[in-house]
Amino acid sequence: MNKMQLIEAIANECEVTKGTASACLDAFINTVTKVLKKKGEVRLVGFGTFATAKRKATTGRNPQTGEAIKIAASVQPKFKPGKALKDALN
């Protein structure tokens, strides 16, 4: 499912226009992004938790030359599914 299909599904489920559903989805994405930028987390009980995790700096290899390269430390977004979501998939 891509973003447009998700917007259409939300519009049908909530009986709103696609424009309203699109605005709501964009607001959700923007809000989660802002919270994660501030190193916070978003918990949706039963669905899951959006959070961040630090990734240490490592040494990798250039596949073409075999030369060692440094990979900088970074912050990665993480999603941990909730129990209700896990149960729904089984």
XYZ file of all heavy atoms in Angstrom:
669
model
N 0.852 -1.175 0.000
C 0.000 0.000 0.000
C 0.894 1.234 0.000
O 1.791 1.343 0.822
C -0.903 -0.021 1.241
C -1.761 1.212 1.401
S -2.857 1.164 2.842
C -4.252 0.315 2.167
N 0.636 2.136 -0.909
C 1.397 3.385 -0.943
C 0.604 4.493 -0.235
O -0.496 4.261 0.263
C 1.773 3.773 -2.376
C 0.568 4.061 -3.247
O -0.462 4.540 -2.796
N 0.698 3.770 -4.531
N 1.170 5.695 -0.206
C 0.556 6.797 0.536
C -0.835 7.140 -0.009
O -1.777 7.358 0.762
C 1.458 8.026 0.509
C 0.948 9.170 1.371
C 1.922 10.324 1.421
C 1.378 11.448 2.282
N 2.300 12.583 2.360
N -0.983 7.186 -1.318
C -2.286 7.537 -1.906
C -3.351 6.493 -1.569
O -4.502 6.829 -1.305
C -2.167 7.715 -3.418
C -1.376 8.951 -3.825
S -1.951 10.492 -3.061
C -3.599 10.618 -3.702
N -2.978 5.236 -1.584
C -3.914 4.174 -1.218
C -4.291 4.263 0.254
O -5.441 4.017 0.622
C -3.306 2.803 -1.537
C -3.154 2.541 -3.021
C -2.288 1.339 -3.324
O -1.375 1.003 -2.553
N -2.555 0.691 -4.451
N -3.329 4.615 1.095
C -3.603 4.791 2.523
C -4.561 5.959 2.745
O -5.514 5.853 3.524
C -2.300 5.016 3.297
C -2.428 5.230 4.801
C -3.115 4.051 5.478
C -1.046 5.469 5.413
N -4.343 7.058 2.040
C -5.233 8.218 2.147
C -6.646 7.845 1.731
O -7.619 8.194 2.402
C -4.691 9.399 1.308
C -3.441 9.970 1.971
C -5.750 10.476 1.117
C -2.676 10.947 1.109
N -6.770 7.097 0.649
C -8.090 6.672 0.179
C -8.775 5.765 1.202
O -9.966 5.900 1.479
C -7.960 5.954 -1.165
C -9.297 5.654 -1.813
C -9.144 5.121 -3.228
O -8.124 5.402 -3.874
O -10.067 4.431 -3.667
N -8.006 4.843 1.804
C -8.568 3.943 2.818
C -9.025 4.717 4.047
O -10.097 4.443 4.603
C -7.536 2.885 3.203
N -8.237 5.699 4.477
C -8.610 6.526 5.629
C -9.870 7.328 5.312
O -10.790 7.414 6.128
C -7.451 7.463 6.043
C -6.295 6.647 6.616
C -7.919 8.509 7.054
C -5.017 7.445 6.826
N -9.924 7.905 4.111
C -11.089 8.700 3.701
C -12.346 7.846 3.713
O -13.402 8.278 4.196
C -10.856 9.302 2.323
N -12.252 6.618 3.208
C -13.412 5.721 3.190
C -13.816 5.295 4.594
O -15.008 5.260 4.920
C -13.117 4.492 2.330
C -13.025 4.819 0.858
O -13.581 5.812 0.386
N -12.307 4.004 0.109
N -12.832 4.963 5.432
C -13.109 4.496 6.799
C -13.750 5.590 7.645
O -14.662 5.336 8.424
C -11.812 4.012 7.446
C -11.959 3.440 8.828
C -12.553 2.040 8.841
O -12.485 1.347 7.816
O -13.096 1.659 9.900
N -13.270 6.823 7.501
C -13.749 7.931 8.323
C -14.851 8.741 7.652
O -15.357 9.702 8.249
C -12.592 8.864 8.671
S -11.331 8.074 9.677
N -15.178 8.394 6.421
C -16.209 9.093 5.648
C -15.900 10.593 5.556
O -16.727 11.442 5.858
C -17.595 8.842 6.225
C -18.009 7.389 6.155
C -19.375 7.114 6.764
O -20.008 8.039 7.310
O -19.804 5.957 6.693
N -14.659 10.905 5.149
C -14.227 12.286 4.916
C -13.644 12.354 3.503
O -13.459 11.330 2.844
C -13.170 12.740 5.955
C -13.758 12.756 7.348
C -11.924 11.874 5.908
N -13.349 13.566 3.062
C -12.769 13.724 1.729
C -11.312 13.260 1.742
O -10.676 13.185 2.798
C -12.814 15.192 1.271
O -11.957 15.955 2.136
C -14.226 15.745 1.290
N -10.803 12.982 0.556
C -9.402 12.590 0.439
C -8.488 13.737 0.878
O -7.428 13.499 1.448
C -9.069 12.181 -0.999
C -9.651 10.848 -1.395
C -9.230 10.480 -2.809
C -9.909 9.209 -3.255
N -9.555 8.864 -4.644
N -8.900 14.970 0.636
C -8.109 16.126 1.061
C -7.980 16.196 2.568
O -6.896 16.469 3.097
N -9.076 15.950 3.267
C -9.054 15.954 4.732
C -8.204 14.808 5.254
O -7.396 14.988 6.174
C -10.488 15.850 5.290
O -11.249 16.949 4.809
C -10.499 15.838 6.805
N -8.365 13.631 4.661
C -7.577 12.468 5.077
C -6.091 12.703 4.831
O -5.249 12.361 5.667
C -8.041 11.220 4.339
N -5.760 13.335 3.707
C -4.368 13.644 3.379
C -3.787 14.622 4.392
O -2.656 14.444 4.868
C -4.272 14.226 1.973
O -2.950 14.580 1.670
N -4.548 15.659 4.745
C -4.090 16.646 5.721
C -3.864 15.990 7.083
O -2.880 16.296 7.771
C -5.094 17.783 5.839
N -4.742 15.081 7.473
C -4.604 14.392 8.761
C -3.372 13.481 8.765
O -2.631 13.446 9.753
C -5.855 13.583 9.071
S -7.287 14.596 9.434
N -3.162 12.760 7.687
C -2.001 11.883 7.606
C -0.712 12.703 7.627
O 0.234 12.360 8.347
C -2.051 11.021 6.342
C -0.883 10.050 6.146
C -0.773 9.083 7.315
C -1.031 9.300 4.836
N -0.683 13.800 6.890
C 0.490 14.676 6.890
C 0.741 15.259 8.280
O 1.893 15.347 8.721
C 0.334 15.804 5.868
C 0.451 15.315 4.433
O 0.992 14.205 4.209
O -0.004 16.040 3.534
N -0.315 15.634 8.989
C -0.182 16.165 10.344
C 0.392 15.098 11.281
O 1.260 15.401 12.122
C -1.530 16.654 10.859
N -0.064 13.864 11.145
C 0.453 12.770 11.963
C 1.940 12.564 11.699
O 2.746 12.492 12.633
C -0.320 11.476 11.677
C 0.265 10.267 12.348
C 0.078 10.053 13.703
C 1.016 9.349 11.634
C 0.625 8.944 14.332
C 1.569 8.247 12.249
C 1.374 8.037 13.603
N 2.324 12.493 10.431
C 3.724 12.278 10.062
C 4.595 13.421 10.575
O 5.664 13.191 11.153
C 3.865 12.107 8.535
C 3.211 10.787 8.101
C 5.325 12.159 8.098
C 3.051 10.633 6.598
N 4.139 14.662 10.392
C 4.906 15.824 10.843
C 5.059 15.846 12.361
O 6.128 16.179 12.886
C 4.263 17.128 10.362
C 4.379 17.303 8.868
O 5.259 16.744 8.224
N 3.471 18.070 8.297
N 4.003 15.493 13.075
C 4.046 15.489 14.538
C 5.011 14.428 15.051
O 5.831 14.706 15.937
C 2.637 15.261 15.123
O 1.770 16.291 14.646
C 2.656 15.268 16.637
N 4.948 13.230 14.504
C 5.858 12.162 14.919
C 7.304 12.573 14.619
O 8.193 12.400 15.450
C 5.507 10.821 14.236
C 6.596 9.772 14.486
C 4.164 10.307 14.735
N 7.540 13.160 13.464
C 8.880 13.600 13.089
C 9.414 14.640 14.060
O 10.569 14.562 14.506
C 8.885 14.163 11.651
O 8.416 13.152 10.756
C 10.260 14.605 11.228
N 8.587 15.626 14.419
C 9.015 16.664 15.359
C 9.366 16.077 16.721
O 10.361 16.461 17.340
C 7.924 17.724 15.524
C 7.792 18.641 14.339
C 6.640 19.614 14.539
C 6.373 20.428 13.289
N 5.196 21.293 13.437
N 8.558 15.151 17.201
C 8.805 14.526 18.503
C 10.106 13.725 18.465
O 10.920 13.798 19.387
C 7.618 13.642 18.930
C 7.966 12.814 20.155
C 6.389 14.488 19.197
N 10.331 12.968 17.392
C 11.548 12.170 17.291
C 12.793 13.052 17.162
O 13.849 12.702 17.684
C 11.461 11.199 16.106
C 10.406 10.096 16.229
C 10.432 9.207 14.990
C 10.582 9.276 17.485
N 12.670 14.200 16.510
C 13.802 15.129 16.412
C 14.222 15.624 17.781
O 15.391 15.904 18.021
C 13.437 16.335 15.538
C 13.581 16.089 14.072
C 13.307 17.374 13.317
C 13.481 17.196 11.833
N 13.253 18.457 11.107
N 13.270 15.732 18.698
C 13.550 16.189 20.064
C 13.923 15.022 20.979
O 13.909 15.152 22.191
C 12.335 16.917 20.632
C 12.026 18.207 19.905
C 10.790 18.860 20.489
C 10.454 20.143 19.737
N 9.228 20.770 20.236
N 14.222 13.875 20.381
C 14.611 12.651 21.109
C 13.483 12.098 21.978
O 13.728 11.375 22.932
C 15.858 12.878 21.970
C 17.036 13.501 21.251
C 17.627 12.568 20.240
C 18.899 13.125 19.648
N 18.742 13.725 18.351
N 12.241 12.436 21.644
C 11.099 11.920 22.376
C 10.600 10.631 21.757
O 11.234 10.060 20.868
N 9.472 10.169 22.231
C 8.847 8.982 21.640
C 7.343 9.173 21.592
O 6.773 9.952 22.353
C 9.231 7.717 22.394
C 8.772 7.637 23.824
C 9.180 6.329 24.477
O 10.256 5.795 24.170
O 8.400 5.852 25.316
N 6.714 8.467 20.672
C 5.262 8.510 20.501
C 4.739 7.108 20.771
O 5.073 6.173 20.054
C 4.875 8.962 19.069
C 3.374 8.942 18.894
C 5.436 10.342 18.772
N 3.915 6.972 21.821
C 3.355 5.674 22.197
C 1.885 5.636 21.823
O 1.099 6.465 22.290
C 3.471 5.441 23.694
C 4.862 5.254 24.168
C 4.869 5.035 25.669
N 6.225 5.152 26.154
C 6.770 4.286 26.999
N 6.061 3.283 27.458
N 8.007 4.452 27.388
N 1.517 4.685 21.002
C 0.127 4.451 20.647
C -0.223 3.079 21.231
O 0.133 2.041 20.654
C -0.062 4.478 19.130
C 0.369 5.775 18.438
C 0.290 5.630 16.936
C -0.489 6.933 18.905
N -0.866 3.082 22.392
C -1.137 1.848 23.124
C -1.854 0.854 22.214
O -2.848 1.169 21.565
C -1.966 2.137 24.390
C -2.336 0.846 25.099
C -1.199 3.060 25.323
N -1.308 -0.343 22.154
C -1.873 -1.400 21.330
C -1.303 -1.431 19.922
O -1.210 -2.477 19.299
N -0.905 -0.276 19.400
C -0.356 -0.219 18.045
C 1.160 -0.321 18.061
O 1.748 -1.170 17.404
C -0.796 1.059 17.327
C -0.312 1.132 15.903
C -0.867 0.330 14.929
C 0.709 2.000 15.545
C -0.414 0.385 13.622
C 1.164 2.065 14.248
C 0.603 1.250 13.274
N 1.822 0.568 18.811
C 3.277 0.515 18.886
C 3.877 1.824 19.338
O 3.173 2.785 19.627
N 5.206 1.842 19.366
C 5.951 3.005 19.837
C 6.971 3.426 18.795
O 7.745 2.600 18.305
C 6.681 2.673 21.154
O 5.718 2.257 22.121
C 7.439 3.869 21.687
N 6.957 4.717 18.462
C 7.966 5.304 17.605
C 9.007 5.934 18.520
O 8.662 6.687 19.426
C 7.369 6.407 16.715
C 6.342 5.917 15.738
C 4.995 5.880 16.071
C 6.720 5.504 14.470
C 4.047 5.439 15.172
C 5.772 5.064 13.550
C 4.436 5.028 13.907
N 10.290 5.633 18.296
C 11.364 6.178 19.127
C 12.624 6.312 18.273
O 12.602 6.018 17.080
C 11.616 5.265 20.323
N 13.703 6.758 18.902
C 14.984 6.851 18.215
C 16.006 6.009 18.956
O 15.856 5.716 20.139
C 15.500 8.298 18.146
O 15.606 8.815 19.463
C 14.586 9.179 17.314
N 17.051 5.618 18.229
C 18.147 4.869 18.828
C 19.457 5.381 18.246
O 19.530 5.710 17.061
C 17.991 3.375 18.542
N 20.473 5.468 19.094
C 21.783 5.911 18.636
C 22.515 4.734 17.998
O 22.449 3.609 18.494
C 22.608 6.453 19.803
C 22.071 7.738 20.357
C 22.933 8.257 21.477
C 22.343 9.534 22.037
N 23.120 10.043 23.169
N 23.190 5.022 16.909
C 23.998 4.025 16.223
C 25.455 4.457 16.342
O 25.794 5.583 15.988
C 23.571 3.974 14.762
C 23.928 2.733 14.070
C 23.306 2.776 12.683
N 23.065 1.433 12.263
C 22.628 1.095 11.091
N 22.334 2.031 10.210
N 22.448 -0.151 10.781
N 26.317 3.577 16.833
C 27.724 3.908 17.028
C 28.442 4.055 15.691
O 28.019 3.480 14.683
C 28.420 2.816 17.833
C 27.914 2.684 19.260
C 28.783 1.757 20.070
C 28.592 0.317 19.630
N 29.325 -0.646 20.475
N 29.528 4.809 15.710
C 30.379 4.919 14.528
C 31.051 3.562 14.290
O 31.437 2.869 15.241
C 31.426 6.000 14.734
N 31.173 3.184 13.029
C 31.795 1.906 12.690
C 32.735 2.084 11.508
O 32.774 3.133 10.875
C 30.737 0.844 12.322
O 29.997 1.309 11.188
C 29.787 0.562 13.463
N 33.459 1.039 11.214
C 34.319 1.020 10.040
C 33.715 0.055 9.037
O 33.374 -1.081 9.375
C 35.743 0.559 10.405
O 36.251 1.443 11.411
C 36.652 0.584 9.206
N 33.571 0.520 7.808
C 33.037 -0.317 6.744
C 34.058 -0.469 5.639
O 35.202 -0.039 5.755
N 33.654 -1.091 4.546
C 34.538 -1.288 3.403
C 33.852 -0.817 2.140
O 32.670 -1.078 1.926
C 34.884 -2.757 3.239
C 35.668 -3.324 4.382
C 36.995 -3.875 3.882
N 37.801 -4.311 5.006
C 38.908 -3.712 5.382
N 39.341 -2.665 4.744
N 39.597 -4.156 6.403
N 34.613 -0.115 1.298
C 34.129 0.272 -0.015
C 34.088 -1.005 -0.858
O 35.108 -1.657 -1.046
C 35.080 1.301 -0.644
C 34.617 1.752 -2.001
O 33.989 1.010 -2.746
N 34.948 2.982 -2.337
N 32.915 -1.416 -1.368
C 32.828 -2.688 -2.095
C 33.622 -2.704 -3.409
O 34.037 -3.762 -3.861
C 31.333 -2.862 -2.358
C 30.726 -1.537 -2.132
C 31.625 -0.766 -1.240
N 33.874 -1.548 -3.998
C 34.608 -1.513 -5.265
C 36.111 -1.608 -5.060
O 36.803 -2.276 -5.822
C 34.282 -0.232 -6.038
C 32.855 -0.211 -6.543
C 32.545 1.065 -7.317
O 33.224 2.075 -7.148
N 31.517 1.007 -8.142
N 36.612 -0.924 -4.017
C 38.065 -0.881 -3.821
C 38.539 -1.712 -2.633
O 39.719 -2.001 -2.524
C 38.531 0.571 -3.601
O 37.956 1.061 -2.388
C 38.148 1.457 -4.766
N 37.637 -2.067 -1.739
C 38.028 -2.791 -0.541
C 38.634 -1.888 0.521
O 39.041 -2.350 1.578
N 38.694 -0.594 0.246
C 39.284 0.374 1.169
C 38.390 0.553 2.401
O 37.165 0.593 2.299
C 39.436 1.714 0.445
C 39.977 2.831 1.290
C 39.986 4.164 0.542
O 39.643 4.194 -0.651
O 40.318 5.160 1.186
N 39.011 0.651 3.577
C 38.267 0.870 4.819
C 37.759 2.313 4.849
O 38.482 3.243 4.490
C 39.147 0.591 6.022
N 36.509 2.482 5.239
C 35.924 3.815 5.358
C 35.253 3.933 6.722
O 34.821 2.937 7.304
C 34.890 4.113 4.234
C 33.786 3.054 4.223
C 35.564 4.196 2.885
C 32.642 3.363 3.276
N 35.187 5.162 7.223
C 34.536 5.398 8.506
C 33.070 5.738 8.273
O 32.746 6.569 7.425
C 35.215 6.544 9.244
C 36.609 6.219 9.710
C 37.210 7.375 10.473
C 38.626 7.034 10.907
N 39.254 8.147 11.620
N 32.202 5.089 9.026
C 30.772 5.374 8.985
C 30.447 6.124 10.269
O 30.660 5.606 11.366
C 29.935 4.084 8.864
C 30.338 3.326 7.596
C 28.452 4.399 8.878
C 29.748 1.938 7.481
N 29.964 7.337 10.129
C 29.717 8.211 11.280
C 28.576 7.688 12.157
O 27.686 6.972 11.679
C 29.381 9.615 10.801
N 28.617 8.076 13.421
C 27.528 7.762 14.341
C 26.281 8.506 13.867
O 26.367 9.561 13.243
C 27.893 8.183 15.754
N 25.114 7.927 14.137
C 23.870 8.559 13.700
C 22.732 8.179 14.635
O 22.872 7.300 15.482
C 23.527 8.144 12.269
O 23.312 6.743 12.196
N 21.617 8.854 14.459
C 20.402 8.555 15.205
C 19.393 7.987 14.207
O 19.130 8.587 13.172
C 19.840 9.823 15.885
C 18.533 9.521 16.588
C 20.854 10.388 16.860
N 18.848 6.814 14.515
C 17.937 6.117 13.619
C 16.534 6.048 14.221
O 16.389 5.846 15.425
C 18.422 4.674 13.385
C 19.811 4.579 12.786
C 19.845 5.083 11.375
O 18.995 4.729 10.559
N 20.803 5.923 11.068
N 15.501 6.201 13.395
C 14.145 6.007 13.903
C 13.870 4.514 14.093
O 14.367 3.684 13.326
C 13.258 6.597 12.805
C 14.077 6.472 11.562
C 15.515 6.595 11.993
N 13.112 4.191 15.120
C 12.753 2.802 15.413
C 11.251 2.724 15.661
O 10.640 3.663 16.151
C 13.473 2.295 16.666
C 14.975 2.308 16.572
C 15.476 1.241 15.654
C 17.004 1.260 15.635
N 17.554 0.279 14.739
N 10.671 1.573 15.341
C 9.264 1.314 15.643
C 9.181 -0.039 16.323
O 9.699 -1.032 15.810
C 8.405 1.308 14.382
C 6.971 0.949 14.654
C 6.112 1.860 15.246
C 6.483 -0.310 14.355
C 4.789 1.533 15.520
C 5.165 -0.658 14.616
C 4.319 0.264 15.196
N 8.542 -0.071 17.484
C 8.335 -1.321 18.205
C 6.835 -1.590 18.225
O 6.070 -0.814 18.813
C 8.863 -1.214 19.638
C 8.710 -2.496 20.412
C 9.266 -2.368 21.815
C 9.027 -3.654 22.575
N 9.414 -3.550 23.973
N 6.384 -2.653 17.570
C 4.950 -2.933 17.527
C 4.398 -3.286 18.900
O 5.071 -3.906 19.718
C 4.831 -4.115 16.563
C 6.186 -4.718 16.510
C 7.167 -3.637 16.848
N 3.136 -2.902 19.120
C 2.455 -3.211 20.372
C 1.821 -4.590 20.340
O 1.712 -5.229 19.285
N 1.362 -5.043 21.480
C 0.797 -6.395 21.599
C -0.420 -6.587 20.721
O -0.559 -7.610 20.043
C 0.452 -6.675 23.064
C -0.053 -8.097 23.295
C -0.318 -8.351 24.749
C -0.770 -9.766 25.074
N -1.478 -10.503 24.094
N -1.320 -5.611 20.683
C -2.542 -5.750 19.886
C -2.212 -5.887 18.404
O -2.841 -6.693 17.699
C -3.479 -4.570 20.119
N -1.236 -5.136 17.925
C -0.828 -5.241 16.525
C -0.215 -6.608 16.249
O -0.537 -7.247 15.243
C 0.159 -4.128 16.174
C 0.686 -4.121 14.737
C -0.456 -3.996 13.730
C 1.682 -2.995 14.533
N 0.644 -7.073 17.138
C 1.252 -8.390 16.970
C 0.187 -9.488 16.955
O 0.217 -10.384 16.118
C 2.242 -8.687 18.104
C 3.513 -7.885 18.037
C 4.397 -8.305 19.207
C 5.528 -7.374 19.453
N 6.313 -7.754 20.635
N -0.760 -9.389 17.888
C -1.820 -10.396 17.968
C -2.707 -10.386 16.726
O -3.186 -11.427 16.287
C -2.682 -10.171 19.228
C -1.920 -10.481 20.499
O -0.836 -11.106 20.431
O -2.397 -10.087 21.584
N -2.934 -9.204 16.161
C -3.790 -9.092 14.977
C -3.152 -9.776 13.763
O -3.862 -10.194 12.837
C -4.073 -7.635 14.659
N -1.834 -9.893 13.765
C -1.137 -10.487 12.626
C -0.992 -12.000 12.743
O -0.572 -12.642 11.789
C 0.249 -9.842 12.465
C 0.234 -8.331 12.216
C 1.655 -7.813 12.155
C -0.522 -8.002 10.963
N -1.331 -12.542 13.875
C -1.209 -14.011 14.069
C -2.523 -14.702 13.915
O -3.561 -14.289 13.988
C -0.618 -14.325 15.431
C 0.834 -13.916 15.514
O 1.533 -13.969 14.519
N 1.261 -13.479 16.664
